[in-house]
Amino acid sequence: MDPLTPVPELVVSGRKLVTPSGVRPGHVFVSGGRITAVSDSDTAPASAERFDAGENYVLPGLIDSHVHFRTPGLTYKEDWEHGSRAAVRGGVTTVMDMPNTVPPTLDPEAVFDKARMVEGRSLVDLRFHIGLDPTRPELLADLDPSVATSAKVFMAGHHTAPTVVRDPAVLERAFAAAAEGGVQLVLHAEDDGLFALLDAWWGEPGSYLEYERRRPRTGGIVAVAKVVELVRRYGTRAHILHLSSAEEADLVCAAQAAGYPVTFEVTGHHLSFTDRDTRRLGARTRLSPSIRGQEDQDRLWRALANGQLATLGSDHAPHTVAEKTRSVAASPPGLPGVQELAVAVWTGMRLRWPEEDPDTAVTRLVRHLAQVPAELFRLPGKGRIAAGADADLVVFAPDTPWMFSAHDVESKCGWSAYEGWTFTGRVERTLRAGRTVWDGASGTFGSYDGRLLTAADGTSGESTSADRTLTAALAVREG
């Protein structure tokens, strides 16, 4: 070995490492929680611990940039212990948590308060999306990237969205401030005014099949058109969350072709279910935006096949069974999904494109669940198997069939819309910072010492202070 390279504590070997240069055999050398080298030969000393993944894929740790782990205020239905267990069991080693908690995370003080609550309770590394405060949109112009690099904007409301932007002037000020501060906006892009009109006309829904009539595709189309126009005017970087319809996908793709910095996410749920499933599953697949038809789902799959979408996300939003069995009008939208995300998408790809080379398929999965999220949200050290990156690794058995049951659910809510599904592909082991946090063979988890990830400036994803521990981050605040 190079005398300047630290002596590896761990060597992960395999014939299918998914690296930025392609799928290849090799050995990943790990020291101090980071990858020090990726080599064709194992030159490490005999004292190093070794793990051989064999014919399984070795992926970089996956990134779910859209979770609701419900801390603070809503921990009766999810918390970081359960949510992060679900994450690592699904191969996710980094999450970005949303701000619609009680109270909402709308300023730096709230971010640090949340960080204190999470300390010592997370198996995954993390970052928080700060929430846009409609009364103070100008805060985004001076947002310290050590606090947050992205801000969530709710353009429509639901049960857990207390800070909806209904005033067009406030939305415009938010886009201007975010552009000035170099902040990435992430948007729930549906039109609340349109929905209010429909609610006043239709009244309360009497069945789950009526839900989409009150939350139709037009709400998303109108809102995405507004976002595109504001991006055009201000140059703000905007990321549309849980995009659900064919028309919205076409709008964003057209905007991208025109050179606008707008991207979009597709959830595993919208790729997995259609409105026909709602007849059987009812509240289990009640979402916001709602589940749509087969043609919409087909368009979202084409967006994945063509690389038009930027990220895959779970929108992991658990509710209790009691909440989900309320009346149709009162049942909240949302379902758990961080555990199921990667295997659900992988299963869908293998079913839709059975002739595709598995190496091509797995490279696509890694691109949208690791590489692009790391780049888009400036997560230094994440999303790749390469020297200098964090030693977050996932051993993935691509052909293993297995049935997902309620017994497998790690989310605190205790249920899943995927119960009874037969998945293809299984996460056998998940490592974060070179240490096992999920071992499928023994069914055990690792240490709850996930780190708060920050960025030193508003432009660079490579930061010397990016891997601050939660304890250190709080010490900076209090010092």
Side-chain angles (χ1 to χ4, degrees):
M1 293 187 63
D2 187 322
L4 298 179
T5 301
V7 175
E9 305 149 3
L10 171 68
V11 180
V12 177
S13 303
R15 285 174 279 285
K16 297 180 179 179
L17 309 181
V18 185
T19 73
S21 59
V23 179
R24 52 163 286 189
H27 309 273
V28 182
F29 296 164
V30 176
S31 180
R34 292 187 178 273
I35 297 171
T36 57
V38 180
S39 175
D40 292 332
S41 57
D42 183 356
T43 57
S47 59
E49 180 185 355
R50 284 171 167 79
F51 177 80
D52 190 348
E55 294 294 334
N56 294 327
Y57 284 112
V58 179
L59 320 178
L62 304 180
I63 300 168
D64 190 343
S65 53
H66 189 171
V67 304
H68 302 263
F69 280 1
R70 304 301 195 195
T71 299
L74 299 168
T75 54
Y76 66 91
K77 52 188 166 187
E78 185 63 291
D79 55 33
W80 278 83
E81 291 92 336
H82 288 84
S84 65
R85 286 208 298 265
V88 297
R89 194 162 173 178
V92 172
T93 57
T94 300
V95 302
M96 298 186 71
D97 188 56
M98 289 296 172
N100 49 318
T101 51
V102 181
T105 313
L106 302 180
D107 54 40
E109 290 296 311
V111 169
F112 285 115
D113 286 344
K114 182 187 282 191
R116 183 184 295 106
M117 297 175 197
V118 174
E119 184 178 12
R121 298 184 175 184
S122 178
L123 288 162
V124 297
D125 289 343
L126 55 129
R127 185 181 286 174
F128 302 124
H129 298 289
I130 202 168
L132 174 70
D133 184 346
T135 68
R136 298 181 295 169
E138 292 79 11
L139 287 178
L140 299 186
D142 299 309
L143 183 62
D144 186 339
S146 69
V147 174
T149 59
S150 53
K152 175 70 176 287
V153 179
F154 284 97
M155 296 173 67
H158 54 74
H159 294 63
T160 62
T163 55
V164 179
V165 181
R166 295 183 172 89
D167 184 341
V170 171
L171 186 64
E172 187 161 343
R173 286 159 58 197
F175 270 76
E180 182 180 348
V183 175
Q184 173 82 55
L185 293 184
V186 295
L187 299 110
H188 182 135
E190 292 187 288
D191 191 272
D192 195 73
L194 185 150
F195 290 163
L197 280 174
L198 290 173
D199 286 344
W201 185 39
W202 284 111
E204 291 190 353
S207 73
Y208 292 109
L209 293 177
E210 295 179 14
Y211 174 62
E212 188 177 5
R213 296 173 71 187
R214 290 156 175 79
R215 296 293 180 268
R217 64 202 308 107
T218 48
I221 296 166
V222 167
V224 169
K226 289 180 180 178
V227 169
V228 169
E229 172 59 17
L230 289 169
V231 168
R232 184 190 70 79
R233 288 162 61 183
Y234 292 102
T236 317
R237 293 185 299 119
H239 186 56
I240 309 295
L241 300 171
H242 42 47
L243 187 141
S244 65
S245 75
E247 292 90 344
E248 293 166 71
D250 290 344
L251 269 173
V252 177
C253 289
Q256 291 172 343
Y260 304 159
V262 57
T263 54
F264 68 96
E265 166 200 82
V266 171
T267 71
H269 310 325
H270 285 103
L271 292 172
S272 298
F273 302 102
T274 69
D275 53 4
R276 293 180 62 87
D277 295 300
T278 304
R279 300 174 185 272
R280 177 173 54 90
L281 296 172
R284 282 178 179 255
T285 55
R286 183 175 190 174
L287 293 176
S288 182
S290 63
I291 295 288
R292 309 217 182 273
Q294 188 63 59
E295 291 185 2
D296 296 296
Q297 188 186 81
D298 291 343
R299 177 64 181 90
L300 300 183
W301 276 107
R302 289 198 301 275
L304 176 59
N306 299 332
Q308 294 169 331
L309 61 84
T311 64
L312 292 161
S314 71
D315 191 8
H316 177 82
H319 299 285
T320 65
V321 170
E323 289 171 321
K324 279 292 192 178
T325 51
R326 292 173 182 168
S327 69
V328 173
S331 175
L335 56 145
V338 65
Q339 182 176 345
E340 302 92 321
L341 174 59
V343 292
V345 175
W346 176 255
T347 299
M349 286 196 296
R350 303 313 293 152
L351 288 172
R352 282 182 171 253
W353 310 312
E355 303 304 318
E356 184 174 54
D357 174 44
D359 288 0
T360 300
V362 80
T363 299
R364 180 188 300 112
L365 188 75
V366 165
R367 172 172 171 76
H368 298 292
L369 261 176
Q371 178 189 340
V372 174
E375 295 168 353
L376 186 68
F377 294 108
R378 307 198 297 276
L379 297 168
K382 301 300 184 183
R384 66 192 189 278
I385 297 177
D390 291 350
D392 301 343
L393 304 169
V394 178
V395 179
F396 182 64
D399 300 319
T400 299
W402 60 289
M403 183 176 288
F404 189 78
S405 71
H407 177 74
D408 296 302
V409 174
E410 297 292 345
S411 174
K412 192 173 184 177
C413 71
W415 63 273
S416 170
Y418 293 90
E419 289 173 38
W421 277 46
T422 297
F423 287 127
T424 298
R426 187 164 193 157
V427 173
E428 301 292 348
R429 183 183 291 256
T430 303
L431 296 90
R432 178 182 49 76
R435 292 182 294 169
T436 297
V437 286
W438 163 248
D439 181 356
S442 63
T444 57
F445 296 95
S447 299
Y448 291 82
D449 55 1
R451 301 170 299 159
L452 178 66
L453 305 174
T454 66
D457 59 58
T459 57
S460 174
E462 296 299 330
S463 165
T464 57
S465 63
D467 298 317
R468 190 181 298 167
T469 65
L470 286 171
T471 301
L474 295 171
V476 168
R477 173 189 180 269
E478 294 168 353

